[in-house]
Amino acid sequence: QVRLEQSGGGSVQLCGSLRLSCVVSGYGTTRYSVAWIRQAPGKEREGLANIYPDGNTQYADSVKGRFTMSRDFDKGTAYLQMNGLKPEDTAMYYCATGPRYVHFRELTLFNSWGQGTQVTVAS
């Protein structure tokens, strides 16, 4: 059974930084994609970034240049380093895994999700 355990998040001021972590267990292989998704109150889920089994990453325009996704294959952990945070980044953040090469825009293909962690950015 695949399990995702998130940590990190919290409250920061404008232009602050946070790092989110997502520990993935139960997969039995490293050949899966990991994505970060967020959902703000009253808004739809927004895919932010993904990292493929080969380490390649893709980012949404809204976070490109500010957020960096990485992955430690030995630890089964994915990270989202968030710099230059803005109030509009305030949301619940989720990590999710999907089979092999799945882009962050294909949210329905991510079949395992973390519990979510709140990020709040004050102006």
Side-chain angles (χ1 to χ4, degrees):
Q1 181 180 355
V2 177
R3 188 163 181 265
L4 282 67
E5 185 71 29
Q6 294 181 226
S7 60
S11 297
V12 293
Q13 296 292 317
L14 177 67
C15 298
S17 296
L18 286 171
R19 189 176 83 154
L20 306 182
S21 299
C22 176
V23 179
V24 181
S25 60
Y27 235 105
T29 176
T30 59
R31 295 191 65 78
Y32 55 88
S33 294
V34 185
W36 287 97
I37 300 105
R38 68 186 178 190
Q39 187 165 25
K43 295 189 176 181
E44 293 187 354
R45 291 182 306 178
E46 177 188 12
L48 302 176
N50 63 258
I51 189 164
Y52 290 149
D54 61 6
N56 283 332
T57 53
Q58 283 78 37
Y59 298 93
D61 289 343
S62 59
V63 303
K64 196 176 295 182
R66 299 188 300 124
F67 291 10
T68 302
M69 188 170 182
S70 60
R71 184 171 175 176
D72 184 327
F73 286 91
D74 290 337
K75 294 182 179 178
T77 303
Y79 304 95
L80 185 68
Q81 177 65 44
M82 304 184 293
N83 299 327
L85 283 162
K86 307 172 183 179
E88 51 264 45
D89 294 317
T90 295
M92 186 71 78
Y93 284 68
Y94 300 89
C95 62
T97 59
R100 304 192 76 173
Y101 292 80
V102 182
H103 195 276
F104 63 79
R105 291 194 181 93
E106 301 177 275
L107 293 181
T108 59
L109 298 183
F110 288 93
N111 44 27
S112 296
W113 290 68
Q115 79 276 19
T117 186
Q118 179 68 35
V119 171
T120 302
V121 185
S123 57

